[in-house]
Amino acid sequence: VASATLLAACGGGGGAPEAAPDPAGAVIEVGSLYEPQNLSNVDGGGQGGNEALTGNVYEGLFRLTDDGEVENLLASDYSVSEDGLTYTVTLRDGVTFHSGKALTSADVKSSVERVTAETSQSARKSSLATIAGIETPDERTVVFTLDAPSISFPYNLSYVWIVSAEATDLKNAEDGTGPYTLGDWKRGSTLTLTRWDGYWGEPAANAEVVFHYFTDASAQSNALLTGEVDLLTSVQSPDALAQFEGNPDYTISEGTSTTKELLAFNDRVAPFDSVEVRKAVYSAIDREKLLGAIWGEYGTLIGSMVPPTDPWYEDVTGENPYDPELAKTLLAQAGHPDGFTFTLDTPTYDPHPAVAEFVAGELAKVGITVEINPISADEWYSKVFQERDFQATLQEHVNDRDVVWYGNPDFYWGYDNPDVTAWVEEAEQAGTVEEQAATLKLVNQQIAKDAASAWLYLYPQIVVASSEVSGYPVNGLNSQFFAFDITKG
């Protein structure tokens, strides 16, 4: 990063001119609601780990840009065999890990195997299940052999952090190749990234990035107002925006969101093993009113897991319309004319508590009683995601192209439709992106017909920053937050 030294104007009394602060030496203070549970991408680190570490501390063979494009990163080039079953990747020269170890094909092999291992808790594990073998003919070449063609293979590899094969204790430490190293992590408070002088590419435009973690959206907004932080990675309510609108000291940026607010049923257990019950619950909720209550004029209604930015998007919001009378009819058909009672496991951070109260109020109108059970993010991960010990839950799903998870009957919500599973497999083996999109549109339509989950709304993606700060990403795809281009002053 080239920077010019600017001289400040001298005061009237004379004296030596003062140099303006060097932007490359800036410390960027970031406010976030998503602290990592740990620093590993295969041990339930959560979206906070992706936000702070993806692209900053760890890099993949490929990178998903903030615009949603897949580009080479640690891979300098790759080729695909005519039958689509072999990907040969050539590694970039001159890359070293923060420990000083040179990047080799063995590190790539071990990194991918960490994600696909039986003990891995990575949500992307199933996306890489098609890998039949990984060979390393030399230090700069990796050969992936697949069981079946995978049109999304480079995209799926963009989620894999390349970690030194010699690294240990990756829940609490790191050894990546990115433009920052891990500084102090004060759990419950801050996580610091420090610019790494040995980075193979363009150095970070700032010297340090400090993520400040908040459990309350109001406290996060107050931190920006008081100057404790320079920007907020995402705003969780429109009420917070009112403090910054029309104020030249702040910039509000609305990007493209892929974050879906879900009322996720456990489709394995009664009463949510019934399509009629799921559709009844969905039609009993006034989603437009809910979106307005939570986000005001921001956000979008969706009728399935597919946001408008995915190539296979179709508007299916009409499949499960808001219609309380229809909901009552469906409940009666399902054998619940007087309704039923269920427990809704609700994360304690915003906006889930408010969403839960709204949903409970709506369902009460059709005779359904909701018992709200507040749980922490850690509890959600163990109780809901790992143990599947729940009836229904609220959760935000941040990734794009994640409709394919409905093709996995083992995923936490337990949706199992053989047609959908087959279509997901067929789409992945498509010869063209057009064929892939056409097949996944069938998935989009079917999960809506089955009300596999209740997709309440698509979050807006809003970043609020001090007007002195620039170069930050605004789309936040998959909760990643590239910090290396941010400057201040």
Side-chain angles (χ1 to χ4, degrees):
V1 176
S3 61
T5 302
L6 305 178
L7 299 180
C10 297
E18 296 181 1
D22 180 1
V27 175
I28 309 299
E29 312 284 352
V30 178
S32 173
L33 295 171
Y34 305 113
E35 181 173 14
Q37 306 306 306
N38 61 66
L39 301 180
S40 170
N41 66 331
V42 299
D43 294 294
Q47 74 181 82
N50 287 335
E51 181 181 73
L53 304 182
T54 297
N56 297 321
V57 171
Y58 287 114
E59 298 175 309
L61 292 174
F62 305 95
R63 173 164 58 196
L64 183 68
T65 70
D66 196 48
D67 294 325
E69 300 296 325
V70 178
E71 64 182 17
N72 292 350
L73 190 55
L74 295 181
S76 64
D77 195 11
Y78 75 96
S79 61
V80 188
S81 63
E82 188 173 342
D83 61 5
L85 296 177
T86 304
Y87 281 74
T88 302
V89 178
T90 302
L91 300 183
R92 187 180 295 275
D93 281 327
V95 178
T96 58
F97 290 98
H98 299 150
S99 61
K101 177 188 177 302
L103 169 68
T104 70
S105 55
D107 300 302
V108 174
K109 183 176 188 292
S110 68
S111 296
V112 175
E113 290 174 344
R114 286 180 69 243
V115 174
T116 60
E118 184 177 348
T119 57
S120 169
Q121 297 173 23
S122 170
R124 292 289 168 174
K125 178 179 177 179
S126 61
S127 301
L128 297 170
T130 187
I131 297 176
I134 306 175
E135 297 178 357
T136 55
D138 59 60
E139 290 194 342
R140 293 189 58 243
T141 306
V142 187
V143 180
F144 297 94
T145 303
L146 310 183
D147 284 328
S150 175
I151 195 171
S152 302
F153 193 60
Y155 169 84
N156 292 331
L157 285 177
S158 73
Y159 287 90
V160 178
W161 294 348
I162 303 304
V163 182
S164 169
E166 299 175 3
T168 59
D169 191 23
L170 291 170
K171 290 184 179 181
N172 301 290
E174 59 86 8
D175 195 9
T177 62
Y180 298 95
T181 59
L182 177 68
D184 291 335
W185 181 21
K186 300 176 181 177
R187 293 176 184 264
S189 179
T190 60
L191 184 149
T192 300
L193 307 180
T194 303
R195 183 173 58 213
W196 184 43
D197 292 336
Y199 183 54
W200 62 267
E202 198 73 19
N206 51 68
E208 194 170 82
V209 178
V210 182
F211 285 86
H212 296 253
Y213 296 112
F214 301 89
T215 57
D216 179 79
S218 297
Q220 183 192 37
S221 296
N222 289 335
L224 181 57
L225 287 169
T226 60
E228 179 184 351
V229 300
D230 298 309
L231 75 160
L232 310 180
T233 60
S234 62
V235 174
Q236 296 298 309
S237 77
D239 294 339
L241 292 177
Q243 306 169 84
F244 307 106
E245 289 173 337
N247 188 332
D249 292 335
Y250 302 97
T251 301
I252 300 174
S253 302
E254 185 171 5
T256 299
S257 173
T258 58
T259 301
K260 289 79 63 177
E261 177 74 359
L262 267 65
L263 168 57
F265 310 113
N266 188 340
D267 295 359
R268 304 175 183 87
V269 302
F272 299 116
D273 55 350
S274 164
V275 173
E276 288 79 12
V277 168
R278 299 195 301 262
K279 291 178 78 71
V281 169
Y282 208 175
S283 285
I285 302 170
D286 187 343
R287 281 102 72 188
E288 186 172 355
K289 185 177 179 181
L290 169 62
L291 178 60
I294 301 297
W295 282 106
E297 298 179 357
Y298 297 94
T300 307
L301 293 181
I302 51 174
S304 82
M305 195 68 163
V306 182
T309 50
D310 282 355
W312 31 88
Y313 171 76
E314 281 187 322
D315 184 358
V316 291
T317 51
E319 181 63 42
N320 295 287
Y322 171 58
D323 187 338
E325 292 305 313
L326 173 61
K328 291 176 182 178
T329 299
L330 289 168
L331 286 173
Q333 291 174 356
H336 300 280
D338 299 320
F340 58 89
T341 299
F342 75 93
T343 299
L344 180 62
D345 287 324
T346 303
T348 53
Y349 56 89
D350 291 333
H352 302 304
V355 173
E357 293 292 344
F358 184 95
V359 167
E362 292 289 279
L363 296 186
K365 298 174 186 177
V366 298
I368 300 175
T369 300
V370 180
E371 296 179 346
I372 299 173
N373 177 40
I375 58 175
S376 68
D378 282 346
E379 290 175 301
W380 187 92
Y381 192 84
S382 59
K383 183 177 186 294
V384 176
F385 189 81
Q386 289 185 304
E387 300 168 16
R388 278 68 160 151
D389 178 21
F390 74 106
Q391 287 182 285
T393 188
L394 290 174
Q395 187 54 266
E396 76 273 29
H397 279 266
V398 303
N399 296 315
D400 63 339
R401 307 189 188 190
D402 53 5
V403 70
V404 296
W405 290 343
Y406 286 92
N408 177 12
D410 294 327
F411 204 64
Y412 80 88
W413 47 55
Y415 174 72
D416 188 359
N417 183 313
D419 287 337
V420 169
T421 299
W423 287 331
V424 168
E425 293 176 358
E426 180 184 332
E428 189 57 26
Q429 297 178 38
T432 67
V433 293
E434 291 79 14
E435 293 174 2
Q436 179 191 30
T439 305
L440 288 179
K441 283 181 179 180
L442 299 176
V443 174
N444 183 28
Q445 295 161 3
Q446 189 62 53
I447 64 173
K449 291 177 182 177
D450 291 342
S453 303
W455 303 274
L456 300 177
Y457 58 79
L458 185 69
Y459 280 54
Q461 173 62 28
I462 302 173
V463 177
V464 183
S466 163
S467 57
E468 294 185 353
V469 176
S470 61
Y472 46 85
V474 297
N475 290 327
L477 297 183
N478 304 320
S479 73
Q480 63 192 20
F481 188 80
F482 300 149
F484 40 78
D485 286 334
I486 304 177
T487 59
K488 180 165 63 175

